[in-house]
Amino acid sequence: MAERRVRVRFAPSPTGPLHIGGVRTALYNYLFARQHGGDFILRIEDTDSSRFVPGAEEYILESLRWLGLKFDEGVSFGGNFGPYRQSERREIYKTYVDQLLAEGKAYIAFDTPEELEQKRSEIENFQYDAKTRGSMRNSLTLSQPQVDGLIADGQQYVVRFKVEPGVPVVVNDLIRGEVRVMSDIIDDKVLWKSADELPTYHLANIVDDHLMEISHVIRGEEWLPSAPLHVLLYRAFGWEDTMPAFAHLSLLLKPEGKGKLSKRDGDRLGFPVFPLEWTDPKTDEVSSGFRESGYFPEAVVNFLALLGWNPGGEQEIFSLEELVKLFDVTKCQKSGARFDYQKGIWFNHEYILRKSNEEIADLFAPIVAGNGVDEPLSRVRVVVAMMKDRVNFVKELWPLCSFFFIPPAVYDEKTVRKRWKEDSAKVMGELAEVLEGIDDFSIEGQEPVVMKWVEEKGYKLGDVMNAFRLTLVGEGKGPGMFDISAFLGKEETIRRMKRAIDILQ
Ligand code: GLU
């Protein structure tokens, strides 16, 4: 048999913002498709109109665009297997539902929600299946004229899959191996509803995977319980030969390691669980996003790729291209992956270090300007070069670096108490004179001259440098003193020193 073309899909339902676990599912599908030179398809599963949330589809598209996960086909990308939005495929599903009905593999059921509720209260663990369907109101217990009459009367109904009992079902999962169950545990799932003339998730999912020639279904663990039903549906349609291979990814767990990661964990511990910021259209509640929190998309991709899979070895920093080469879906772990958000922060820091000073400066410059400072980009770059190894996010640079651009308005009380000694004003006055006499105000130009002077005077180097720092920075932080003074230049350095002497003495 000829090798099948690899075609995978990401099939989110637009029921809200894309959870970070969903992003990982999309990423693994992307890596798998690229690795095999296959197609990565975006299908929107919007047949449950009661759960539809406006803006969710746009959010999903924007998230994956931000992360650089490009689709080959699908909603907003086009392709030969469309439409790719399930709500636009009603007629297609109807044909397949009618086929199952005609072949006696599905039946019509009229039971109202109240009647079903009644049964559930009468029978413990009630399941609509081979054992119970004979006592329900459906096309198996009613005569054809009765059924036709009810439909003509406008009674709402559903179409249920007729699951034959006693049939072994095997799901071949690339991660979990063979999962075997007996068909008896599967209920007669609703495939279609007359009320909205729409299929349920199960039917639409199988029909579309078949028609879109999907070769591999890589999705979250929450869908594993549905997989045996899906296998039976493929059989019912006679599509077993082209049934996709399954890979059910493990859950993302809370940072503490127990239980499924939820939005509340993010709120509680202060980290995003969504790729982009999201405003709930009903409540206006805002949830933070990785993008708005200052993460680089490459860092998020790198972090997520290693949640539940790793290529072995020590290396942790991988580009998307490297991940495409190394990814192995069969090596994904079966057990849940702890969402270690501290590690996510670490990844962002690593990407700051790896990015050029130019790139970081381009991101930092608007923040500098936004604080009312008019400084050429070349100077912003110098500051970035000195300071970027100290931050995890670009936005952390400003509080750390503002003193380079704005002279201290106040002098930190604690530092003054500790570092501004009896003779500091006098010593700083002398130092200002020494600096005045230096022509080459670079680090290399200043350092030996100042060191020599400190030695000749018999001052304690630490005392001098601490007071010097206080005059230029206003507190005890910052990089090497001569880095600071060289950046500020002679004039500004001496101006700051004199001002500090005036105020502090
Ligand atoms: N629409 C389902 C979801 O929202 C897709 C599940 C699948 O990939 O089969 O996750």
Side-chain angles (χ1 to χ4, degrees):
M1 204 171 85
E3 268 289 313
R4 197 172 177 195
R5 179 169 179 79
V6 166
R7 288 174 56 82
V8 295
R9 82 304 193 270
F10 180 53
S13 300
T15 55
L18 186 57
H19 188 271
I20 201 71
V23 177
R24 187 193 57 170
T25 301
L27 171 62
Y28 283 8
N29 274 284
Y30 172 89
L31 296 177
F32 189 80
R34 285 291 156 279
Q35 169 169 84
H36 292 95
D39 305 318
F40 179 45
I41 299 154
L42 176 64
R43 185 170 76 219
I44 296 290
E45 303 209 324
D46 57 349
T47 57
D48 187 351
S49 49
S50 68
R51 295 181 63 216
F52 178 82
V53 173
E57 183 182 305
E58 293 75 8
Y59 178 96
I60 292 164
L61 279 162
E62 175 66 9
S63 300
L64 298 171
R65 203 189 55 76
W66 177 63
L67 290 162
L69 306 182
K70 295 194 191 74
F71 288 95
D72 303 296
E73 257 175 57
V75 170
S76 88
F77 300 95
N80 298 326
F81 296 80
Y84 293 91
R85 204 180 273 113
Q86 289 189 327
S87 57
E88 293 165 18
R89 299 170 63 82
R90 286 166 190 267
E91 291 74 30
I92 301 174
Y93 306 126
K94 187 72 175 56
T95 319
Y96 287 99
V97 169
D98 288 345
Q99 181 190 325
L100 291 182
L101 282 171
E103 292 173 358
K105 292 170 179 167
Y107 59 94
I108 288 173
F110 294 99
D111 318 270
T112 62
E114 294 74 31
E115 285 165 349
L116 289 168
E117 203 34 63
Q118 177 67 25
K119 281 281 172 197
R120 281 193 203 102
S121 64
E122 278 167 22
I123 304 168
E124 211 181 323
N125 298 325
F126 171 78
Q127 176 168 288
Y128 208 122
D129 62 13
K131 285 205 199 73
T132 57
R133 63 171 83 110
S135 63
M136 307 298 287
R137 278 202 316 132
N138 54 47
S139 57
L140 303 171
T141 58
L142 303 169
S143 69
Q144 190 61 46
Q146 281 175 312
V147 170
D148 294 342
L150 286 171
I151 294 178
D153 273 359
Q155 285 256 346
Q156 296 298 354
Y157 63 93
V158 297
V159 175
R160 286 184 181 271
F161 188 37
K162 194 171 167 215
V163 178
E164 300 300 344
V167 180
V169 188
V170 183
V171 179
N172 272 311
D173 190 290
L174 295 172
I175 299 170
R176 291 152 205 277
E178 279 189 3
V179 180
R180 294 168 173 277
V181 300
M182 286 303 275
S183 62
D184 306 60
I185 65 159
I186 305 167
D187 62 332
D188 289 356
K189 278 272 171 344
V190 173
L191 301 179
W192 196 83
K193 305 172 270 40
S194 68
D196 53 11
E197 302 195 296
L198 277 171
T200 57
Y201 156 75
H202 301 290
L203 183 99
N205 192 266
I206 275 22
V207 166
D208 286 349
D209 281 350
H210 173 72
L211 294 179
M212 295 177 186
E213 295 177 12
I214 298 302
S215 63
H216 296 77
V217 167
I218 304 171
R219 61 183 174 190
E221 183 179 78
E222 63 272 31
W223 300 103
L224 183 60
S226 304
L229 168 74
H230 294 177
V231 170
L232 286 180
L233 276 167
Y234 280 106
R235 267 190 217 164
F237 283 118
W239 296 335
E240 279 151 299
D241 289 350
T242 55
M243 185 161 73
F246 292 100
H248 289 95
L249 307 170
S250 65
L251 284 178
L252 293 187
L253 304 178
K254 294 181 187 304
E256 295 91 339
K258 273 227 170 93
K260 192 176 164 208
L261 176 72
S262 74
K263 180 175 131 37
R264 248 168 293 132
D265 298 313
D267 298 340
R268 179 169 60 90
L269 297 165
F271 62 86
V273 296
F274 300 120
L276 315 180
E277 191 173 273
W278 167 258
T279 307
D280 189 295
K282 274 214 197 90
T283 62
D284 276 342
E285 192 201 341
V286 179
S287 301
S288 69
F290 278 88
R291 181 177 66 183
E292 290 72 14
S293 301
Y295 286 83
F296 295 115
E298 306 94 304
V300 176
V301 162
N302 197 154
F303 170 48
L304 288 180
L306 301 187
L307 280 178
W309 167 79
N310 77 78
E314 295 292 298
Q315 189 181 338
E316 291 189 277
I317 305 295
F318 297 100
S319 67
L320 198 54
E321 295 72 50
E322 287 174 300
L323 290 169
V324 165
K325 282 205 198 86
L326 293 166
F327 183 66
D328 183 348
V329 73
T330 66
K331 298 258 163 65
C332 288
Q333 70 190 49
K334 290 190 199 99
S335 55
R338 195 168 69 84
F339 191 80
D340 180 359
Y341 67 99
Q342 306 280 8
K343 190 78 192 192
I345 296 172
W346 177 84
F347 272 110
N348 214 60
H349 176 72
E350 290 299 312
Y351 276 87
I352 287 201
L353 296 185
R354 281 167 172 77
K355 281 180 187 277
S356 68
N357 296 333
E358 285 73 18
E359 206 176 325
I360 302 297
D362 286 344
L363 297 170
F364 183 41
I367 301 178
V368 174
N371 279 284
V373 173
D374 180 21
E375 197 78 49
L377 193 56
S378 56
R379 305 241 321 144
V380 176
R381 282 186 191 149
V382 175
V383 170
V384 163
M386 281 188 264
M387 303 298 280
K388 74 170 185 174
D389 61 341
R390 300 174 183 220
V391 297
N392 298 320
F393 298 98
V394 170
K395 66 178 176 195
E396 290 172 353
L397 280 170
W398 178 254
L400 224 54
C401 300
S402 61
F403 70 85
F404 284 109
F405 309 109
I406 302 173
V410 289
Y411 300 90
D412 177 59
E413 240 178 82
K414 249 173 100 185
T415 318
V416 171
R417 235 179 292 132
K418 211 164 146 203
R419 306 295 191 201
W420 195 256
K421 307 262 156 82
E422 204 67 47
D423 64 346
S424 289
K426 178 180 99 40
V427 175
M428 286 303 109
E430 289 171 23
L431 176 57
E433 264 174 51
V434 172
L435 294 173
E436 189 77 65
I438 297 175
D439 289 330
D440 171 9
F441 214 68
S442 67
I443 301 171
E444 299 74 23
Q446 293 177 62
E447 197 164 2
V449 180
V450 174
M451 289 305 179
K452 190 158 158 267
W453 164 75
V454 170
E455 213 185 293
E456 280 170 8
K457 287 284 185 173
Y459 293 145
K460 266 169 85 186
L461 183 63
D463 288 352
V464 174
M465 288 300 152
N466 285 331
F468 189 24
R469 181 176 298 278
L470 183 62
T471 66
L472 299 192
V473 180
E475 52 186 307
K477 67 177 185 189
M481 268 325 291
F482 297 112
D483 292 84
I484 300 174
S485 55
F487 176 84
L488 294 176
K490 193 200 280 192
E491 208 181 304
E492 174 68 5
T493 298
I494 291 172
R495 188 184 310 130
R496 288 192 189 190
M497 292 177 82
K498 294 213 160 128
R499 195 164 158 272
I501 294 168
D502 275 352
I503 294 175
L504 294 174
Q505 77 179 352

